[in-house]
Amino acid sequence: MNYYFITGSSKGLGKALVDLLLKNESNFIYGLSRTRSVKHERFVHAAIDLSKLDEVLSFQFPTLADVDKIVLINNAGVVGDVKRVGDIENQQIIDCYNLNLIAPTILMNNFVAKYKSLDCTKMIINISSGAGRNPIDGWNVYCSTKAGLDMFSQVLNEEINIDNTSFKVLSLAPGIIDTDMQSQIREAKSSDFSTLEKFIKFKEQGDLIDPNVTATQILRFVNEKELQGKVLCSVRELG
Ligand SMILES: NC(=O)c1ccc[n+]([C@@H]2O[C@H](COP(=O)([O-])OP(=O)(O)OC[C@H]3O[C@@H](n4cnc5c(N)ncnc54)[C@H](OP(=O)(O)O)[C@@H]3O)[C@@H](O)[C@H]2O)c1
């Protein structure tokens, strides 16, 4: 069996990944999110608020048998308070760092500890963003969480190479996707976010990608060795 652990499995990109993976009878999925939207015999839901670190710390990866592949997809994320530094609510800073960066880091740490001795394909896919590689005003916290995820992935890759632990780690920018996150971005004030108009136009012009299309692209990175050459990658490489 192939086992997938997917955070943010209830909607948007995470839900599209779950729906696509469930089409293959060899896939079993653990979804981690606050709400549940999938019911399936090969889907187990863990109700967890990933911005609350005590809940993250209490999540235990299960002992698995008969494993061909295990994949952790750190997908849950929020853009957070789109505001200038000085105007951001401090609790929003804490919640956004917890959800976007600290929770994935703890999950990676526990995933590697639990499964390092398993003899199977072992992968971590961190859903990053172009915003972690290019600064966007008003998105200070979001950009820095994604940059942190990119760097953590690169350092983990160094360790994997040195220690020969046979994990594969990618930090993958998924492009612009037509999800609730984009609706939230469009609700920001232009005084807090100078490129608001550009994001409104993405929606109006039909530039936002259907999450099912993006999920298919992400699974190509999971399954095609030729796409796994660099830790920092983007669906835009697929052309
Ligand atoms: N949309 C884009 O254009 C875009 C672009 C670049 C990168 N990304 C990245 O892609 C990933 C998915 O984003 P999306 O657009 O699919 O967002 P979305 O539609 O808003 O979905 C976010 C998912 O994260 C979960 N989540 C949010 N807060 C949570 C919490 N505190 N605890 C547990 N789960 C939580 C939500 O589930 P519950 O509400 O049920 O908890 C939901 O399943 C994110 O990492 C995002 O940064 C998106």
Side-chain angles (χ1 to χ4, degrees), residues 15 29 34 47 93 96 105 117 132 135 150 192 205 216 230:
K15 166 83 164 49
I29 296 149
R34 291 168 302 182
I93 296 175
C96 191
T105 303
S117 56
D150 280 353
D192 293 320
Q205 295 168 352
T216 304
K230 289 182 291 143

Side-chain angles (χ1 to χ4, degrees), residues 163-183:
D163 301 338
N164 256 322
T165 48
S166 76
F167 283 90
K168 176 63 69 184
V169 58
L170 300 180
S171 201
L172 176 53
I176 44 171
I177 322 162
D178 200 0
T179 64
D180 286 355
M181 176 181 275
Q182 285 287 335
S183 317

Side-chain angles (χ1 to χ4, degrees), residues 8-14 32-36 48-51 74-78 99 127-130 142 146 174-182:
S9 54
S10 61
K11 61 177 182 169
L13 178 57
L32 289 74
S33 54
R34 291 168 302 182
T35 58
R36 176 187 189 140
I48 179 166
D49 184 336
L50 294 164
S51 69
N74 279 312
N75 161 75
V78 289
L99 174 66
I127 301 301
S128 181
S129 172
Y142 181 73
K146 295 299 188 181
I176 44 171
I177 322 162
D178 200 0
T179 64
D180 286 355
M181 176 181 275
Q182 285 287 335

